[in-house]
Amino acid sequence: MRLHCAAMGPRDGPLVVLLHGFPECWVTWRNQLPALAAAGFRAVAPDMRGYGGSEKPRGVEQYRIEKLAQDAADLIPALGREQADLVGHDWGGAVAWRVAMWHPARVRKLVILNSPHPQQLSRAMRTLRQLRKSWYIFFFQLPWLPERLLTPGRLQYLFRRFTARKGAYEQAEIAANIDAVREPEGPLNYYRAALRYVPRRWEPVRARTLVIWGERDPFLGDELARPDARWVPDARVERIASASHFVQADAPDEVSRLLVEFLR
């Protein structure tokens, strides 16, 4: 799998891999990349498969979570390292959880932004409250219609409507994210594969874990922020009351500070 990456920081610095969510690309980390680089880290943010400059395989099966996690795990030795710190937001968080579970030797520390542990999300999806918040997941299962409706105008509305801070995304950044999903079949197949190919294998996360949670998240219940200690025994949660689901854009300085402090 060929993945386009943006990178900053000294080549010999500790490696940090940052995984974006939907419907974004590496640009979502535009504030955290220079902050990590200034702290001496080698920060690398790939476009995940199906997005931006990365390969876009066809078919729902190509977006199974096992394949997405393998991409992230394989990226680390491709960058010349045996291990890295892993940071993930939204779908990037879902992938990062699985890398820490299934490829533990690749992960030194784990940081998750507004992405619940998969076991918790699975339980929550049995409740009416979370089902109402996650209605779009089921809409995305339809053929062709979601692709037709995922227009630049609607995506621009999403970024403007669901961020908590005015100007959280500049117009050029919104345009870059929209361009990254100009072929929406791949990004939508993340959701389709999630319901068709449910993994049955769970492993505890042994890496030290930091969860950063924007409390004004319209898509995820706030109770999902803290992972179950049985599955993530070494976890710390930092809540940001003023931030939305897009916490790294709403509170860029605070998120960058937390990342640098935790990863040092």
Side-chain angles (χ1 to χ4, degrees):
M1 181 58 56
R2 187 180 68 252
L3 300 179
H4 164 260
C5 297
M8 291 186 73
R11 291 185 179 275
D12 60 350
L15 179 62
V16 182
V17 175
L18 302 102
L19 305 176
H20 65 83
F22 173 89
E24 299 182 279
C25 64
W26 73 265
V27 174
T28 195
W29 303 111
R30 66 204 176 281
N31 294 301
Q32 287 70 47
L33 285 169
L36 288 164
F41 293 96
R42 179 64 170 173
V44 177
D47 289 336
M48 297 206 292
R49 69 165 63 191
Y51 284 85
S54 293
E55 285 191 53
K56 302 171 179 62
R58 298 291 180 182
V60 174
E61 195 272 341
Q62 291 297 319
Y63 295 86
R64 295 177 65 151
I65 193 68
E66 293 90 346
K67 291 181 181 290
L68 305 176
Q70 192 69 55
D71 285 348
D74 288 346
L75 180 60
I76 295 167
L79 293 168
R81 308 297 179 85
E82 290 299 314
Q83 195 174 55
D85 296 323
L86 199 56
V87 181
H89 167 249
D90 184 72
W91 258 107
V95 173
W97 280 123
R98 268 47 175 243
V99 177
M101 276 193 256
W102 299 336
H103 307 276
R106 294 290 181 215
V107 182
R108 187 182 75 101
K109 291 183 182 179
L110 178 68
V111 183
I112 301 292
L113 289 76
N114 282 69
S115 184
H117 185 278
Q119 190 261 354
Q120 282 180 289
L121 182 59
S122 177
R123 286 205 313 258
M125 289 295 286
R126 300 171 193 153
T127 68
L128 183 59
R129 180 171 184 265
Q130 187 57 49
L131 284 172
R132 285 173 173 167
K133 290 177 177 288
S134 300
W135 64 269
Y136 59 91
I137 296 176
F138 302 97
F139 172 70
F140 288 163
Q141 304 304 312
L142 297 174
W144 67 264
L145 181 59
E147 280 88 341
R148 293 286 298 274
L149 295 180
L150 206 64
T151 63
R154 288 190 174 92
L155 287 168
Q156 183 149 189
Y157 171 78
L158 184 150
F159 287 114
R160 299 291 190 201
R161 169 69 176 81
F162 292 110
T163 47
R165 179 175 64 86
K166 186 176 181 180
Y169 287 97
E170 295 180 4
Q171 186 56 44
E173 293 158 352
I174 292 175
N177 283 327
I178 290 172
D179 186 58
V181 294
R182 64 188 178 277
E183 298 177 42
E185 179 190 351
L188 290 171
N189 280 343
Y190 279 58
Y191 292 94
R192 292 165 177 156
L195 294 192
R196 297 186 198 180
Y197 305 104
V198 180
R200 302 298 179 188
R201 183 163 58 100
W202 302 94
E203 302 289 344
V205 171
R206 300 301 182 192
R208 284 187 60 201
T209 302
L210 171 65
V211 175
I212 302 173
W213 197 269
E215 292 188 332
R216 295 173 61 181
D217 191 326
F219 309 115
L220 296 166
D222 192 52
E223 71 280 0
L224 296 176
R226 180 167 294 281
D228 191 320
R230 292 173 297 177
W231 295 104
V232 192
D234 189 358
R236 166 183 147 208
V237 179
E238 292 284 349
R239 300 174 183 269
I240 302 178
S242 62
S244 73
H245 179 76
F246 299 97
V247 60
Q248 71 275 27
D250 281 329
D253 293 340
E254 190 167 358
V255 168
S256 295
R257 177 184 62 79
L258 289 168
L259 283 177
V260 170
E261 288 178 356
F262 179 72
L263 297 179
R264 270 185 172 153

